[in-house]
Amino acid sequence: MHLKKLPMEGPLVIYEKGYDSGVLDAGGGYVVTAHIESHNHPSAVEPYGGAATGVGGVIRDILSAGTRPIAILDGLRFGDITKDKHARWLFKSAVSGIADYGNCLGVPTVGGEVEFDACYQNYALVDVAAVGFGKKSDLIRNHAQKGDLVVLLGGMTGRDGVGGSQFASDLLESQDRSAVQIPDPFIEKLIIEAVIEARRQKLIHAMKDLGGGGLSCAISETADALGVGIEMDVKKVHTRESGMSPEEIMTSESQERMLIITGSAEIKRLQDICAKFRISCSVIGSVTSGGQMRIKQGQETLADLPASVVANASLLDLASKRPSYLDELDAEPPGPIPDHTRTLELLVASPNISSRAWVYGRYDHEVGIRTVVRPGLDASVLRLDNGRYLAVTIDASPKHCYVDPRHGAAGCFEEACRNVACTGARPAGMLDHLQFGSPEDPEIFWTFLESLGGLAEYSRDMGIPCIGGKVSLYNETPAGPIKPTPMVAVLGLADRPFVAQKAADGDSLIILGDTKDEMGGSEYYEYVHGIVGGACPVVDSAVSRKNMDAVLDLIEGRLVKSVHDCSKGGLAVAATELCMTSEIGCDVGLDVPGGAPLDAALFSESHSRYLLVADAKSLDSVTSLLGKRGVPFGMLGKFGGSRMRFADGKKTVIDLSVDKAQRAWSSSLGDLVHG
Amino acid sequence: MPAFVVSVTIENKPGISDPEGDTILNDLVLQGAHEAVSCIRTAKMLRFTIEESDGDSALARVQKICDDLRIYNPLVSQVSIGVQAGSN
Amino acid sequence: MRVGVVVFPGSNCDRDMYHVLTDVFDLDATYCWHEHGLPKDVDAIVLPGGFSYGDRLRAGAIAAHSPVIADVKRMAEASVPVLGVCNGFQILVEAGLLPGALLKNDSLSFMCEWTELLVQNNKTPFTSKFSKNQRIPIPIANGEGRYYADEDTLREMERNGQIVFKYGDRVNGSSGMIAGVCNPEGNVVGMMPHPERAAEPEINPTGRGTTSLMFESLRAGAAS
């Protein structure tokens, strides 16, 4: 399988058989678990329920390891909301779905990102990552022995969701109600509490969430992972509707269900816990020796086959070919722009750059009282019970990946690492979710392999292991395949939290890292000029590591007041964001290291760059540390006043009121949604 | 033209679960002495006041509005529509 | 002092509240599952936030019929301090222990943000350490947090000193910008914002920890 290309081992990675989530050792006897999944096809037809049940599924994966879910992150992609009313409806409904589900569970949605691009027209990508936390000694060590009981716990099994996985490869127009999954966050909350209580009483031998493929997949995968057989009776399954056929029962993707293996000595206590929370708890079968999965209806055997056959469907080695579209991209750079101030104003208020407060204001991002750094900055930070801090972020850059799948994918991974580093945390693990069109198209499969290669290379170079991943294929809209959209979540650990302070009058703005003329896939090219093409930013792992180490050392010594990642919209946007959040102006000189021409200096999205804010008393220490490390940096200017000014030599090229920029930045997404 | 009130009831299709109805049934109604109740389904009702030549046209017009503007998601929900003369 | 933290199916701020009461303010706290009676030895009761019964029908409407509510009523009549936060406030209102109703925010959406409260009544067991009109920073996180009462009720509440907290700004369209109220006796207090989320400097972005005085007030009441 191609995914084996990603390095899965590292000093902090804990591997357990049968886990859907990755596990990291957080120190002091505690672990962090993490997982990412998408719910793209269901969200494209029923965005509220699709997005909500997406949250539910990934939360149950975290729970399956025996850890309590402590955070949700969402990565969302829709069509062009400036023009497309349907995209607006999809966006608004998906956000409501995530909010209603996560808020009800009491699991905070602490971070995420949203992007709009015409390639997702009439479609939606809804990725959800979740993080769990618990004691290492409480992890469920999946095991089973002959005679153990197989229990289905949680909501009832109904016809909704029958054939949902199959639906993924069907056309979206087919209005089949069976693909719709109705979210019930209340039942999910009860399952969480019941499972945690059962784990506390050590009643769980093995556990698995019911996801795609329903019971048939959960049973076969569990038997295969544990090296046992399972015999079950469809008549024992609690159904919501009468007259369901065995096939419907086995493949129903009704939400909020868990498969638990327990012993006959423990079943009574498990049933008592389920009775307390009033969730159903049916013994549907038992563990047998040998690897057979036997499905019965009363006395009659309906199926009897090796579990390994059902569980291990392989990702075939398909043909791949460099796509011809790459040779047809725009090659000509845009001409000079008349008004840089207007361009910056436009970018700051653009759908892909403006403030996401409209989204995260709907999410309870504080419940659980762990949130030290809130959404809206580079990465969010949670406090852990072992006195340490976890930084998390999620990222994708399909515009870069479209013009260069390999460097685009590596770049989005690096960007996620930069975001985590900005909080003083060192990246410790990553999750990837690879979203592409049909892999049967050799050109699409090529972009898949290239993206995977880019992620694997950066992962190896940086020693950041992949702790979990998923693949979502056949993401096609009526107008064709989506752009390659690998999504990356990065987790980092820190001993002390670094909470950014506002920039004040007289503080210095410094850029670390080279700015290059790499404008392919940038917001400047695509949003301002409508150009798709050009050279995409390239990550050099050695530079990436050196720059990141310097930033982490500056933060460790508390020499800087804040660090901000330089990405979408380039230096001009990143500096403006610092000014808007600090409510102060800045005079910025554009003598940036790397030798980029004016427009690139302002708007290029070159990687491995950070903006630093230092006050007068630590400025010398900052520059001497950067000098000693031999990392490129430039003194951009000083904060003060109420205007953003960018000067090219002596000539002022941008002069913008921070207050005005702030108003446009903070209100534009909400204004777009409410049309 | 005369005025009509057209009532549109939006509810999940039969076979699609209704967690809110289930909770009200199981955790409230059946906790009292009301075992005679076997099912509760929730719905949302919209009441349109509309001027049309006759009741049938009012009904057809509102049905079209609901379909065109996606007032309900046909994948999940069904609507039932009733009409009476008068205004809200 | 022993504080009972009542847990309903769907409560989700119970563990946060328990942590703040015990680890931060060194009070003795105990979880009380809604189907069991309240222990006789509790000196105060907190109904924490969350989504009891998934907020179905109306927020708090189903939990208000829970067996534990009879005990809460009995102890409230015996002057035991009772605090309802967010969903806990909604439950107290639905159970008739506090006047008014909580409606959907005028934005029609869930809101999670920091705001400021003005202390109106500093005579309750949860506000005695505040000065009157003191401004305190605190976060809200709710979808149905718009306090409503009719004009007559509002006038009577004003007369009785039943308005405990008002918002510093127009936040959600609440009548009289009300964020928290109490019963005429003052021992039952309900509020939409979350004091347990503002009590520790590490997770309080405002740098002002005055909201902790709510828990200090409760603790001081126990000592006196």
Side-chain angles (χ1 to χ4, degrees), chain A residues 453-486:
Chain A
L455 294 177
E457 196 178 321
Y458 187 74
S459 167
R460 255 193 318 274
D461 289 350
M462 299 294 285
I464 303 169
C466 168
I467 62 168
K470 274 276 225 199
V471 176
S472 163
L473 301 168
Y474 300 98
N475 291 288
E476 308 260 344
T477 76
I482 61 163
K483 289 180 178 175
T485 314

Side-chain angles (χ1 to χ4, degrees), chain A residues 67-405:
Chain A
T67 50
R68 182 181 278 279
I70 61 165
I72 299 166
L73 296 99
D74 59 340
L76 307 175
R77 278 175 173 72
F78 306 94
D80 179 358
I81 53 162
T82 61
K83 303 195 181 88
D84 180 350
K85 251 172 66 183
H86 187 66
R88 248 174 259 160
W89 173 74
L90 287 168
F91 171 46
K92 217 168 120 172
S93 309
V95 168
S96 298
I98 293 167
D100 285 355
Y101 207 96
N103 294 349
C104 183
L105 295 184
V107 180
T109 303
V110 299
E113 43 109 64
V114 188
E115 187 172 2
F116 306 97
D117 188 300
C119 81
Y120 307 109
Q121 193 186 352
N122 285 312
Y123 198 62
L125 296 190
V126 175
D127 290 87
V128 183
V131 178
F133 182 69
K135 289 195 178 126
K136 196 171 170 179
S137 56
D138 282 340
L139 281 174
I140 306 288
R141 311 281 177 181
N142 284 325
H143 66 280
Q145 62 186 44
K146 189 178 168 207
D148 277 356
L149 301 173
V150 178
V151 177
L152 183 61
L153 181 150
M156 304 273 214
T157 300
R159 283 202 179 89
D160 47 287
V162 170
S165 266
Q166 194 55 45
F167 170 70
S169 39
D170 294 349
L171 280 178
L172 293 182
E173 285 90 76
S174 72
Q175 302 253 310
D176 183 358
R177 75 165 169 95
S178 64
V180 175
Q181 298 156 341
I182 301 295
D184 189 345
F186 177 50
I187 292 270
E188 178 105 344
K189 169 69 175 161
L190 298 177
I191 291 174
I192 293 174
E193 298 309 325
V195 164
I196 298 273
E197 178 58 26
R199 182 213 67 196
R200 205 182 59 75
Q201 296 187 25
K202 304 200 183 306
L203 308 179
I204 301 171
H205 296 188
M207 178 160 48
K208 184 157 185 66
D209 155 46
L210 271 80
L215 262 175
S216 58
C217 277
I219 295 273
S220 63
E221 286 173 16
T222 302
D224 184 47
L226 303 181
V228 296
I230 288 179
E231 178 177 306
M232 66 156 283
D233 182 352
V234 290
K235 278 182 147 172
K236 301 278 174 61
V237 175
H238 267 86
T239 55
R240 189 185 302 122
E241 302 162 67
S242 55
M244 284 179 72
S245 72
E247 291 77 17
E248 286 175 323
I249 291 171
M250 290 308 292
T251 58
S252 161
E253 292 182 9
S254 285
Q255 298 291 303
E256 293 95 16
R257 296 179 300 160
M258 297 288 270
L259 190 73
I260 286 181
I261 297 192
T262 187
S264 47
E266 290 108 344
I267 183 67
K268 173 73 175 63
R269 278 186 289 158
L270 184 61
Q271 284 167 332
D272 288 347
I273 292 169
C274 291
K276 171 181 168 181
F277 290 102
R278 277 203 240 120
I279 52 177
S280 71
C281 173
S282 329
V283 177
I284 59 169
S286 61
V287 172
T288 58
S289 53
Q292 291 296 106
M293 161 170 157
R294 190 173 299 124
I295 313 298
K296 299 171 79 169
Q297 185 175 31
Q299 291 306 309
E300 184 192 353
T301 298
L302 303 173
D304 189 352
L305 69 174
S308 57
V309 174
V310 191
N312 296 327
S314 60
L315 183 61
L316 297 168
D317 225 329
L318 299 163
S320 80
K321 171 172 157 280
R322 185 176 181 278
S324 52
Y325 80 79
L326 290 173
D327 299 319
E328 291 152 18
L329 296 172
D330 297 320
E332 278 295 300
I337 46 170
D339 184 347
H340 287 87
T341 302
R342 182 71 203 115
T343 303
L344 177 58
E345 260 181 305
L346 203 68
L347 279 173
V348 162
S350 69
N352 287 337
I353 290 178
S354 57
S355 165
R356 270 48 190 144
W358 183 87
V359 180
Y360 63 74
R362 281 162 173 65
Y363 300 152
D364 189 341
H365 46 262
E366 305 208 323
V367 61
I369 51 174
R370 294 183 182 280
T371 317
V372 175
V373 175
R374 293 169 171 71
L377 297 165
D378 292 300
S380 301
V381 178
L382 302 163
R383 58 176 180 174
L384 303 177
D385 303 11
N386 58 357
R388 300 187 80 200
Y389 297 83
L390 178 75
V392 279
T393 192
I394 183 170
D395 232 314
S397 47
K399 286 182 169 59
H400 289 164
C401 292
Y402 185 68
V403 298
D404 185 339

Side-chain angles (χ1 to χ4, degrees), chain C residues 9 17 25 35 86 112 124 138 154 165 170 175 193 196 211 222:
Chain C
M17 184 61 83
F25 293 97
E35 286 180 324
C86 201
C112 179
T124 80
I138 199 164
L154 285 173
F165 298 109
R170 248 190 77 86
S175 306
E196 80 280 12
T211 309

